[in-house]
Amino acid sequence: MPAGDCDSREARGGNEAKRAWRALGGLCLGTFVCFTNTTAFNIALPAISVSLGAGQVEQQWMVSAYNLVFGAFMLLAGSLGDRWGVKRTLLVGASAFAAASAAGVLATSSVTTIVARGVMGFGAGFSITMTLALITRLFESDGQVLALTVNAVAMTLGAPFGLVLGGVLVNFADWRAIFVFDLVAFLIVLLLDVLLLPGDRSQSRGTTRARTRLPLLSALLALAGLALVSAGLINAQISAASPDSWGLMVAGAVVIAVFVRRDTRSSNPLAELGLLRIPSFAAASLSLLALNVAISGIMFVLPAYVETALGNSALVGALMLMPMVAAAMVGAAVTRRVAEQLGKRRACVASLVLIALGLAVMGVSTAVVGYPLMVVGQCACGLGMAMGLPVMQGWGMERVLQQQRGGGSALISTFQQLGCLIGIGALGSLVGSSYAAACRGTAAEGFRSVALAFEAADAQGAPQAEAVRAAASSAYAHAVLVAFCVAAVALLLSAALTAYRSRSDAGER
């Protein structure tokens, strides 16, 4: 081969590599914003409650709609990417996220905000799933490992950055500024994706895409089942004995059972449910579900306490949650050493126990009004979360066959999102019902949330206003104590079940 041809080929290879790394920047920005959005929005909930008159139920749906659609459509995104093409599917998701962000900026009611958040979840589910698929296409060998690590860092930093971002935007602008940030960021993501990502490879009629149909019915069954369970959990704060609560949860469980039965017998399944027969995969999935119950529950419940109940601004409230973020960074640094010393199985169990202890300590801190004690609990939770998340993911995937890794990754991610739904729905409802019960017979009775009670107090005379604030703060602190202690017990039970379920794994200490 002539030297000129070799030089030309090397130059093209170098240009393609540079373009791949530039494209990774757009992909990672999308990942970063998707995870920033969860915590930033939670910080803004007290302000949204006052602006839109949203009670605890509406606030739960604003948060749950994002996680619900996010999780339900992650499984479908993989199948759709094989048929439409990965880049095309990613652009659909990014466009949906940007359009929904614009709708959120203009939202004037709780319903509009909930719908906007749901469509954003649809876009996030497509974007996150297709990002992983594109990274494996753009990079090879060592470059792929580094690219996946960079994307994981964007994912990990997104949630803690969201706390600060939400506090700054709400404090100096308005809660709608969060949607403006999302809109601008995803317009940049769209531009970078269109310009830098390679086109989808053409597929002939003999490919899998042409031979199999999209498992749309399975996706709709999964979405309907999760939506019914979420609705039942949210309605439980009004009355757990009402058909609007237990009836919806039972209906959701039946629909999910139909989905499982249909998908396991289908020649074109949506999910790799057979992987749950692997003890380590099943135990890791359970652990991830429990861990995300704690993460989402904390992020949903605590902002209203550190902001409204303690009388702080959104920015100060966000800064009061920073000890958990700092501890998470420390935990991420020691994860590998802990996993090597304890083994993945014991490390997973230990992380759940540590989070449970942290939850109990934070709950007790609200009863004694001791922020230093809350810092201790936050540090325990942050360490447990950061050490547990990567170990659980690695443990779950280590015995999955190479040809099933895509489906295994999507299924594990779905368990994580299911944990978010349960955390917001169950803990949010427990806080809401406990708060309402504690308010009975006090000056704060009749107000649907602590934020609405404080807003009403601002319009009253000094003595009455102080009585309303004191009663609402005390009631919410009691509600946090109850919810976090119940969650701690649930996590300890999950840790015991994880240890029991994976006891047959050979080679694990």
Side-chain angles (χ1 to χ4, degrees):
M1 180 180 295
D5 291 344
C6 291
D7 292 341
S8 177
R9 180 169 295 182
E10 289 178 2
R12 284 198 302 271
N15 290 334
E16 289 178 1
K18 291 179 180 178
R19 182 174 179 177
W21 285 108
R22 288 196 293 268
L24 179 66
L27 295 174
C28 288
L29 177 59
T31 297
F32 181 78
V33 175
C34 287
F35 284 89
T36 294
N37 186 266
T38 54
T39 51
F41 194 82
N42 286 356
I43 284 291
L45 283 175
I48 294 171
S49 175
V50 172
S51 176
L52 300 181
Q56 189 80 1
V57 170
E58 290 89 348
Q59 292 177 55
Q60 284 178 256
W61 271 117
M62 289 176 193
V63 178
S64 293
Y66 183 82
N67 292 304
L68 170 64
V69 183
F70 192 162
F73 279 93
M74 287 184 83
L75 293 172
L76 183 63
S79 296
L80 202 56
D82 291 337
R83 292 159 174 80
W84 281 4
V86 177
K87 179 180 179 179
R88 189 176 294 113
T89 305
L90 175 73
L91 293 178
V92 168
S95 299
F97 197 100
S101 299
V105 174
L106 304 174
T108 57
S109 68
S110 297
V111 173
T112 307
T113 306
I114 291 168
V115 172
R117 292 278 294 167
V119 178
M120 289 172 75
F122 168 86
F126 273 44
S127 295
I128 295 299
T129 307
M130 292 300 98
T131 290
L132 294 176
L134 279 161
I135 288 175
T136 58
R137 179 202 291 185
L138 290 171
F139 300 91
E140 296 181 1
S141 61
D142 292 342
Q144 186 178 113
V145 173
L146 180 57
L148 288 170
T149 301
V150 172
N151 189 63
V153 169
M155 188 183 300
T156 303
L157 293 181
F161 179 80
L163 295 173
V164 178
L165 175 71
V168 170
L169 292 178
V170 173
N171 196 65
F172 294 105
D174 180 75
W175 61 267
R176 289 182 177 83
I178 294 174
F179 285 109
V180 174
F181 170 82
D182 293 333
L183 174 60
V184 173
F186 257 84
L187 287 176
I188 295 172
V189 168
L190 271 170
L191 179 62
L192 293 174
D193 289 346
V194 170
L195 295 177
L196 299 176
L197 289 175
D200 291 312
R201 301 186 180 103
S202 61
Q203 292 173 291
S204 66
R205 299 208 44 96
T207 61
T208 302
R209 178 177 120 177
R211 289 200 308 268
T212 60
R213 63 188 183 281
L214 191 68
L216 188 58
L217 180 57
S218 291
L220 292 175
L221 285 172
L223 177 62
L226 292 175
L228 288 168
V229 171
S230 295
L233 288 171
I234 290 172
N235 289 342
Q237 68 170 284
I238 300 172
S239 174
S242 169
D244 288 342
S245 176
W246 66 262
L248 289 176
M249 284 189 276
V250 170
V254 170
V255 174
I256 290 174
V258 172
F259 158 72
V260 171
R261 179 180 176 82
R262 184 182 189 281
D263 215 51
T264 52
R265 297 187 174 193
S266 174
S267 59
N268 182 31
L270 178 68
E272 293 280 1
L273 296 176
L275 294 175
L276 293 173
R277 298 190 184 96
I278 303 173
S280 59
F281 187 93
S285 298
L286 173 65
S287 298
L288 283 165
L289 186 148
L291 183 144
N292 279 274
V293 165
I295 292 176
S296 59
I298 291 170
M299 293 302 182
F300 180 76
V301 169
L302 271 190
Y305 178 75
V306 296
E307 292 176 40
T308 308
L310 296 184
N312 297 308
S313 66
L315 179 57
V316 172
L319 293 175
M320 290 178 72
L321 297 178
M322 284 299 104
M324 184 162 53
V325 176
M329 293 179 178
V330 174
V334 302
T335 296
R336 183 174 179 178
R337 184 178 303 173
V338 171
E340 288 175 350
Q341 291 182 351
L342 296 180
K344 292 186 179 71
R345 176 171 174 266
R346 291 179 181 175
C348 289
V349 173
S351 68
L352 292 178
V353 172
L354 189 58
I355 295 170
L357 293 176
L359 281 167
V361 170
M362 283 196 291
V364 171
S365 74
T366 64
V368 299
V369 196
Y371 179 69
L373 188 59
M374 177 174 281
V375 170
V376 174
Q378 284 190 46
C379 288
C381 285
L383 283 170
M385 291 171 185
M387 291 189 299
L389 184 60
V391 175
M392 291 170 187
Q393 290 175 329
W395 185 37
M397 294 297 294
E398 69 180 1
R399 299 192 180 183
V400 176
L401 298 176
Q402 186 66 36
Q403 61 268 31
Q404 293 179 300
R405 284 191 168 265
S409 177
L411 186 56
I412 272 191
S413 297
T414 302
F415 269 94
Q416 290 181 244
Q417 288 304 116
L418 180 59
C420 292
L421 289 174
I422 294 174
I424 296 164
L427 293 187
S429 291
L430 190 54
V431 166
S433 59
S434 299
Y435 171 78
C439 282
R440 292 193 188 104
T442 71
E445 184 174 8
F447 297 109
R448 293 183 296 164
S449 72
V450 63
L452 293 178
F454 269 63
E455 182 192 22
D458 292 339
Q460 299 177 1
Q464 181 64 18
E466 186 58 33
V468 171
R469 292 193 190 96
S473 296
S474 176
Y476 197 79
H478 170 74
V480 173
L481 171 63
V482 172
F484 280 10
C485 287
V486 169
V489 172
L491 255 69
L492 291 175
L493 292 174
S494 297
L497 186 57
T498 295
Y500 175 79
R501 181 69 180 84
S502 60
R503 70 194 187 282
S504 62
D505 266 16
E508 277 292 334
R509 287 186 289 148

